[in-house]
Amino acid sequence: MPKRVLLGLLLACGLAAPTLAQEPKTGGVINAVIQPEPPGLMLAMVQNGPTQMVSGNIFEGLLRYSPKLEPQPELAESWSVSEDAKTYTFKLRKGVTWHDGKPFTAADVLFSIEMLKQTHARARTNLAQVDKVEAPDDYTVVFTLKQPFGPFLGIFEVGSMPMVPKHLYEGTDWKTNPFNNAPVGTGPFMFKEWQKGSFIRLVKNPNYYEKGKPYLDEIYWQIIPDAAARSVAYETGKVDVLPGGSVENFDVPRLTKLKDTCVTGAGWEFFSPLAWLWLNNRQGPLADKRVRQAVMYAIDRDFAKDVIWNGLGKVATGPSASTIKYYTDDVKKYPYDPAKAKALLKEAGYKGEKIRLLPLAYGETWQRWGEAVKQNLMDVGINIETIATDVAGGNQKIGDWDYDIAFTYLYQYGDPALGVGRNYISSNIAKGQVFNNVEGYSNPEIDKLFADGAVATPDSKRKEIYEKAQKILVEDVPVAWMLELQFPTITRCKVKNLITTGIGVNDGFKDAWLDK
Amino acid sequence: MLSFVAQRVLKGVIVLLAIVVLNFFLIRLAPGDPAVVMAGEAGASDQVFVKQLREKFGLDKPLPEQLFIYVKGVVTLDLGFSFRQQAPVAKLIGERLPATLLLTLTAFAISLMLGVLFGTFAARFAGTFLDTAITVFALIFYAMPIFWVALMGILLFSVTMDWLPSFGYETVGANLTGLAHAVDVAKHLIMPAMTLGLFFMATYTRMTRASMLEVKRLDFVKTARAKGLSDAVIQRRHVLRNALLPVVTLAGVHSGTLIGGAVITETVFAWPGIGRLMYDALLQRDYNLLLGVFVICSAMVLIFNLITDLVYRLVDPRIEFAS
C-alpha cells in the first residue's frame, strides 16, 4: 500500500509541479531540517553531506546539471571544447560579486583550483588530468588537459568545485581563516548566523546576479539531532522541508499522508547513490566467485526496496546506476533465488565458515536492512555474524580489509569515470583507505577498460567500453549491488520549485518560492 | 575550612590530570581517526591526502609526544584546536556550556525539591493511600528510560495537546528580548528539564522516605515528642534534617550521572548543550574537542563533589572538616 500511495504522491507533486506554470511569488521564510549539524560551512574544506546542503546556497560552481545531467550555466555563462577535446574554454558571467561586494573574476577561479587541490580530496582526483589552467582575461578561463577526459564537463558543480574568494583566502592559514566560520560566496543566499546546536540562518543576497532571484527572504536550517523529533517538528509545523534522509524511512508513509504534504524522489540524479555490499574478495569463502554469486541470488532485494525503503528506489543491476551515462541492463541477472544460491554454495564447497557482516551505522533504516540481509543469507546456509560499530569504526575496519561483508552506499557523480571505476580498478587497492577498491578485486581487463574509457573519444566508443566493463563486472560480482537509492524530500506543498536540477537540495534554494 | 578547600582543590587537580591521561588513551582505543572520517566524507581515496590530514592534525607524531603536547596545553588552560570544526575547543565548549548548565541545574533543582517534598509526604503518611501512590509513581519514573519518557512527553504535550515546543532552546526567528525571551526559553526548558529530572526525583523521593522512616524511630525523636514539640517542628527540624544526609551524598554522586543523562535529553529535545557536542565529537573522532569536553565535565563533577562536602557540614554540624 505505502508504495502505491507514495508513487501517487510522487506523480502528483514531483512530476506535475513543473507543468503548473505559476508565477513565482517573492518573500517568505523557509524552515528546513539539517542532519547532522555540519562541522563547518567552508565547502572547499569540508565536504560532508550537510555542509554541501547548506553551503550550496552560499557558494557556487562554474556549472550546474539538469536532471538529465546536461551542463547548465552558473558562474560560467558559456563554454567550448577544442577539436582535440583537450582544451576547455569557459566564459565567466560578468557583474557577479562576492557577498562582501568584491567582483568575481577569473583570478578567483585559478586560486580556487589551487586551493581545492590541497583541501578537497575529490576535486584533487578530478583535476588530475589537468595540465594547466590559464586566465587570458578577467572573464575567461582555459583548462588544458594532458589527454582527452570524457567526463570533464561533469566536475564543475558546487559541491565538486566550489569557487573560493581569493581576496579573503590568499596568503592566509586556510584552516584557521575566520571566514571559515562566516563564509563568503557568490550564491543566492548569504550566511547570517549560526547558533551552534540550534540553527543556521541564511538571508537573501540582494545583489544576486539573476535579477528577481532568490525569491525567499530567509532560510533557517534547524538542527534536530533525533530522528523521531525531526518527524515531530514537521508534524507540528515547525519545519517545512525534510531533505532526503532526514527522517527514518518507516516515518515516511505516515508523514506523506499529512495534509498539504508533497514528496519527491527527484534531485539525486547527479549523485545517483548506489548501495552495495562490499565482499572481501581476498580471503575465505568469498574469494570464490560462486559464493559471491550465491550472495546475489540469496538476497531479496525487492523486499528491501518495498519494505525497508517504502518502494522508493530501484533494484540495482550492476556497478552503474541507471541514471549514469553508458548504463546498460544487458547484463547477467540475479533474481531472488535461494535454491540457486544453495546450489552454488554447495558447488563451491562452502562448509559453514563464519562470515562477518558489518551493517552501516546510519540509523534505524540501515540497521533493519542489515538484519534483513543477515536473515536472507542465513536462510541459504551462510553462517553470518553481525559486527556492531559506529561510522568511524566501520570505515577503519573496511579500510583495513578487516571484514567479510560490509554495507555501503556511494555517489556516482554522473559518469563511470568519476564514480564507478574507482571501486573496481586494481590501482585503487590501498590499505588504510576507504571507498576505493577495498574489496580487493583485480582484473587487468577491467583496469584497461576503465583506463581507456576515461580518455576515449567519441562518445560511442566510451559507450562500447563501459558496456563491456559492466558485463564483466556483473559476471564476477566483486561486490553485491543492492539498490539505487532515492531519498525522499518531504515538503509542505506551498514550497514550490525546490528541486530543479539533478543536484537537488544540494544545489541551493535559488529557484524555490512560497505559495502563501 | 580554607585549608580543607585548598587541599580538596589540589587533590581535584591531580585527579583531573589523571583523567586527562586516561581519556587520552581511551579515546585512541576506538578504531578510526579524524583523517579517516574526513576522507570518508569527501568520498575519495587518496593516500597522500589522508597523510596530509594526519600531519595537519599532528596525528603522525608518536603517541607519548601527542600526550605531552596535549597535557602541556591543558596545564596552560589551552584546550587545543578542533580541526573538524575549525575553531578553538574552548570557544566551542564555551558556546554550549551555558545551555547545559541551565538544563542540568534546573533538572537538579526540580528533582531535589520535588523528591524531598514527595519523600517527606510519603514518610509522614506512611502506609496510607498517598504513600502508596507516591511510591508507585516513584518506582515507575525510576524504571523508565529517559529517551522513552522524552518521546512520550513530546507526543503528549507537543503533538496531541500543543502546549509545549518539542525541540530547541528558543523560538527560532522570533527575535524576542527581555522577559518575553526568558518566558520563551522557560517554555522550551520545561520538558527537557522534567524528563532529565524525573529519574533523579524518583530516587530522592524513595531515599528521603526510607531515611525519614528510619530516623523517626530513633530515641531523640521520642525525646522531642516528650518535650511537647509540635509534629511539624519535629518533622522539619529533627527528622528531615537528619534524614537528608544520605540524600545529599546521593545528589553529589549524581552530578556525573546528570551530565550523562543530559547527552540523551539534549539529543531528543535538540537542546544545544555540551552533551550533544560530546556525542558528535565522539562519532567524528574529534580528539581535541572530545578531550576538552571530558576535562570540563570532570571538572564540573569535582566541583559538585566539593560543594556536596561543604553542604554536609551545613546540614550536620557534627561533621568536622578533616585537615
Side-chain angles (χ1 to χ4, degrees), chain A residues 37 39 47-48 119 121 124 175-176 180-181 196-199 220 222 225 229 233 390 392-393 396 422 433 435-436, chain B residues 32 40-49 81 83-86 95-96 154 167 172-173 267-268 270 272 276 285:
Chain A
E37 180 167 21
Q47 287 96 42
N48 90 348
T119 60
R124 187 186 158 90
K175 66 178 189 289
T176 55
N180 292 343
N181 291 314
K196 292 278 171 78
S198 292
F199 65 88
Y220 279 98
Q222 307 258 13
D390 66 352
Q396 177 87 25
R422 59 178 175 160
Q433 310 291 305
F435 301 152
N436 56 8
Chain B
E41 282 169 353
S45 53
D46 183 335
Q47 269 176 310
V48 184
F49 187 74
F81 193 84
F83 291 100
R84 185 70 196 154
Q85 307 215 13
Q86 294 156 356
E95 286 170 344
R96 301 288 195 96
I154 290 175
F167 71 95
V172 170
T267 302
V268 177
R276 182 66 202 177
R285 302 289 189 268

Side-chain angles (χ1 to χ4, degrees), chain A residues 126-391:
Chain A
N126 287 345
L127 289 164
Q129 299 292 340
V130 176
D131 183 30
K132 58 178 193 277
V133 196
E134 293 157 307
D137 63 60
D138 270 359
Y139 295 99
T140 310
V141 179
V142 182
F143 290 84
T144 310
L145 309 189
K146 294 172 189 156
Q147 53 191 335
F149 183 50
F152 191 66
L153 275 179
I155 67 167
F156 291 99
E157 151 277 341
V158 57
S160 311
M161 205 193 283
M163 289 297 120
V164 183
K166 181 184 176 186
H167 64 284
L168 299 179
Y169 277 85
E170 194 180 33
T172 67
D173 180 2
W174 298 339
K175 66 178 189 289
T176 55
N177 189 308
F179 291 99
N180 292 343
N181 291 314
V184 171
T186 58
F189 292 91
M190 304 190 294
F191 174 80
K192 182 74 184 174
E193 188 184 5
W194 183 355
Q195 292 263 351
K196 292 278 171 78
S198 292
F199 65 88
I200 299 167
R201 180 180 169 209
L202 307 181
V203 297
K204 179 180 187 159
N205 173 4
N207 303 314
Y208 194 58
Y209 54 82
E210 277 190 66
K211 289 295 159 240
K213 284 184 186 175
Y215 303 109
L216 302 168
D217 292 332
E218 291 181 50
I219 307 170
Y220 279 98
W221 292 97
Q222 307 258 13
I223 297 150
I224 309 172
D226 183 69
R230 289 192 290 276
S231 297
V232 169
Y234 183 83
E235 268 181 288
T236 53
K238 298 290 187 293
V239 298
D240 313 309
V241 177
L242 295 171
S246 45
V247 292
E248 292 289 1
N249 274 347
F250 48 76
D251 266 345
V252 171
R254 187 169 63 84
L255 294 176
T256 49
K257 269 186 241 153
L258 294 174
K259 220 176 114 215
D260 291 329
T261 294
C262 286
V263 57
T264 174
W268 292 95
E269 296 81 0
F270 176 73
F271 299 105
S272 300
L274 186 69
W276 69 73
L277 304 175
W278 295 114
L279 305 175
N280 198 336
N281 290 210
R282 295 176 188 83
Q283 62 200 23
L286 290 163
D288 188 324
K289 183 170 99 179
R290 288 167 298 187
V291 177
R292 300 199 299 267
Q293 288 178 335
V295 168
M296 283 296 273
Y297 285 119
I299 296 173
D300 188 351
R301 298 178 291 163
D302 280 303
F303 169 84
K305 189 190 79 165
D306 293 338
V307 177
I308 296 167
W309 290 90
N310 294 307
L312 282 176
K314 212 170 158 185
V315 171
T317 57
S320 273
S322 57
T323 40
I324 291 289
K325 273 188 193 162
Y326 320 120
Y327 162 81
T328 178
D329 64 355
D330 182 19
V331 290
K332 184 177 168 128
K333 299 285 189 297
Y334 293 94
Y336 175 51
D337 190 344
K340 200 158 184 176
K342 280 183 194 164
L344 277 165
L345 287 173
K346 198 170 169 199
E347 193 187 317
Y350 174 68
K351 292 190 184 62
E353 294 92 328
K354 189 180 279 176
I355 290 185
R356 294 163 299 168
L357 170 71
L358 233 70
L360 198 52
Y362 281 173
E364 191 65 24
T365 299
W366 291 88
Q367 202 60 43
R368 290 181 184 197
W369 200 1
E371 282 160 19
V373 162
K374 179 182 180 181
Q375 191 65 48
N376 279 158
L377 294 176
M378 288 180 75
D379 284 350
V380 298
I382 300 180
N383 181 9
I384 295 287
E385 181 195 17
T386 307
I387 309 280
T389 67
D390 66 352
V391 177

Side-chain angles (χ1 to χ4, degrees), chain B residues 261-287:
Chain B
V263 178
I264 300 166
T265 316
E266 288 177 4
T267 302
V268 177
F269 290 103
W271 189 261
I274 207 173
R276 182 66 202 177
L277 190 69
M278 172 159 73
Y279 182 71
D280 284 343
L282 175 66
L283 287 189
Q284 297 172 345
R285 302 289 189 268
D286 192 341
Y287 293 150

Side-chain angles (χ1 to χ4, degrees), chain A residues 88-116:
Chain A
Y88 287 73
T89 306
F90 289 84
K91 287 282 177 200
L92 303 183
R93 212 184 271 268
K94 288 180 180 148
V96 177
T97 54
W98 295 99
H99 294 156
D100 63 1
K102 295 273 189 318
F104 164 77
T105 66
D108 291 308
V109 181
L110 299 196
F111 176 78
S112 303
I113 286 166
E114 279 318 303
M115 179 168 169
L116 291 168

